[in-house]
């Protein structure tokens, strides 16, 4: 995702289709729940998860439509504060990944269930340093865990999915401790909801929300939880 892609609109979308580029949104995979998970309600009243999987617009939108999510913020993780802004991250040389910080109620949804949404609907975990038309380390698949228990759930789930061979390739998702999360610029927040007519959003992100409703209806939330609604309180 970059300014050129957004501005190019329909012409660039036609070029992508001609080249046969696939997207995670078109290839959602129905996955089993994690065999090992943190029981609901055993954590605090509010927990945090941080996932990266391509352009943060679509990942944010998916989790804004997930029941039990209290807030989902687009931002950057994996690099330093000095380079945590869009123009620098876009070079692919900062160590950052476009990420989404998810605040959730563990009494309503478990960390493992969030991982199930992430691997099934939010992105394609077999693509290395790219998602659809977006390429570079800033678009890598990554789980930034915030605790040893999150690390264990993520490690076991990746092993479970690889063993089940439900994807067309091996999962390449990076598992790394979260050192810091930096919110992205205000214009990136709620982008998919605020710009449904954007050719990029229509082509790559709205299908992810539709797939969430189709593949995991038990967690689908029709009205998204927006960052703007949180700051308005």
């Amino acid at each position: 995702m970059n300014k050129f892609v957004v501005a190019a609109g329909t012409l660039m979308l036609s070029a992508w289709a001609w080249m046969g580029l696939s997207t995670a949104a078109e290839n959602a995979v129905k996955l089993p729940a994690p065999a090992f998970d943190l029981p609901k309600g055993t954590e605090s009243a509010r927990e945090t998860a941080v996932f990266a999987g391509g352009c943060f617009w679509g990942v944010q939108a998916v989790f804004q439509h997930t029941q039990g999510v209290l807030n989902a913020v687009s931002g950057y993780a994996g690099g330093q504060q000095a380079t945590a802004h869009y123009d620098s991250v876009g070079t692919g040389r900062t160590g950052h990944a476009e990420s989404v910080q998810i605040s959730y109620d563990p009494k309503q949804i478990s960390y493992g269930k969030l991982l199930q949404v992430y691997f099934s609907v939010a992105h394609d975990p077999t693509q290395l340093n790219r998602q659809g038309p977006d390429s570079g380390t800033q678009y890598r698949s990554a789980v930034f865990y915030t605790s040893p228990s999150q690390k264990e759930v993520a490690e076991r789930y990746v092993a479970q999915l690889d063993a089940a061979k439900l994807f067309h390739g091996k999962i390449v998702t990076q598992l790394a401790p979260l050192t810091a999360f930096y919110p992205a610029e205000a214009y990136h927040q709620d982008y998919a909801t605020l710009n449904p007519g954007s050719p990029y959003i229509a082509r790559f992100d709205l299908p992810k929300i539709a797939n969430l409703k189709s593949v995991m209806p038990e967690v689908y939330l029709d009205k998204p939880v927006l960052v703007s609604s949180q700051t308005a309180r």
Side-chain angles (χ1 to χ4, degrees), residues 23-42:
T23 69
E26 296 175 329
N27 299 292
V29 180
K30 189 172 181 62
L31 300 177
F36 175 77
D37 197 358
L38 303 177
K40 286 184 181 179
T42 59

Side-chain angles (χ1 to χ4, degrees), residues 10-25:
T10 304
L11 179 61
M12 183 58 70
L13 289 172
S14 298
W16 288 332
W18 179 81
M19 293 169 61
L21 290 170
S22 62
T23 69

Side-chain angles (χ1 to χ4, degrees), residues 1-176:
M1 176 270 299
N2 54 56
K3 293 182 178 68
F4 172 73
V5 169
V6 175
T10 304
L11 179 61
M12 183 58 70
L13 289 172
S14 298
W16 288 332
W18 179 81
M19 293 169 61
L21 290 170
S22 62
T23 69
E26 296 175 329
N27 299 292
V29 180
K30 189 172 181 62
L31 300 177
F36 175 77
D37 197 358
L38 303 177
K40 286 184 181 179
T42 59
E43 303 169 274
S44 65
R46 191 183 186 102
E47 289 292 327
T48 299
V50 177
F51 302 139
C55 174
F56 43 30
W57 293 344
V59 178
Q60 180 190 43
V62 165
F63 285 103
Q64 288 180 323
H65 282 275
T66 300
Q67 293 185 30
V69 169
L70 305 173
N71 198 14
V73 179
S74 290
Y76 312 108
Q80 302 300 312
Q81 184 176 11
T83 57
H85 48 87
Y86 184 66
D87 289 340
S88 293
V89 173
T91 67
R93 298 191 297 268
T94 65
H96 281 294
E98 290 197 8
S99 306
V100 175
Q101 179 178 265
I102 301 154
S103 299
Y104 66 98
D105 181 352
K107 295 183 177 63
Q108 298 183 52
I109 191 167
S110 69
Y111 181 69
K113 197 68 173 180
L114 293 174
L115 285 171
Q116 188 179 358
V117 172
Y118 168 71
F119 283 111
S120 176
V121 176
H123 82 309
D124 180 349
T126 68
Q127 293 195 52
L128 182 63
N129 295 332
R130 73 170 303 117
Q131 287 292 311
D134 302 319
S135 63
T137 58
Q138 69 272 32
Y139 298 114
R140 67 187 181 272
S141 172
V143 171
F144 294 98
Y145 53 83
T146 64
S147 67
S149 57
Q150 284 192 356
K151 178 184 179 182
E152 184 176 10
V153 173
E155 287 179 336
R156 290 200 185 192
Y157 195 40
V158 169
Q160 176 187 340
L161 295 179
D162 268 337
K165 300 186 184 304
L166 298 172
F167 292 100
H168 54 77
K170 184 176 177 60
I171 293 173
V172 297
T173 304
Q174 174 192 25
L175 303 182

Side-chain angles (χ1 to χ4, degrees), residues 191-216:
Y191 195 91
T193 297
L194 298 177
N195 299 276
S198 159
Y200 183 99
I201 297 299
R203 176 72 172 86
F204 297 105
D205 294 338
L206 295 186
K208 293 182 181 183
I209 300 171
N211 280 343
L212 176 65
K213 183 176 182 179
S214 174
V215 175
M216 300 184 68

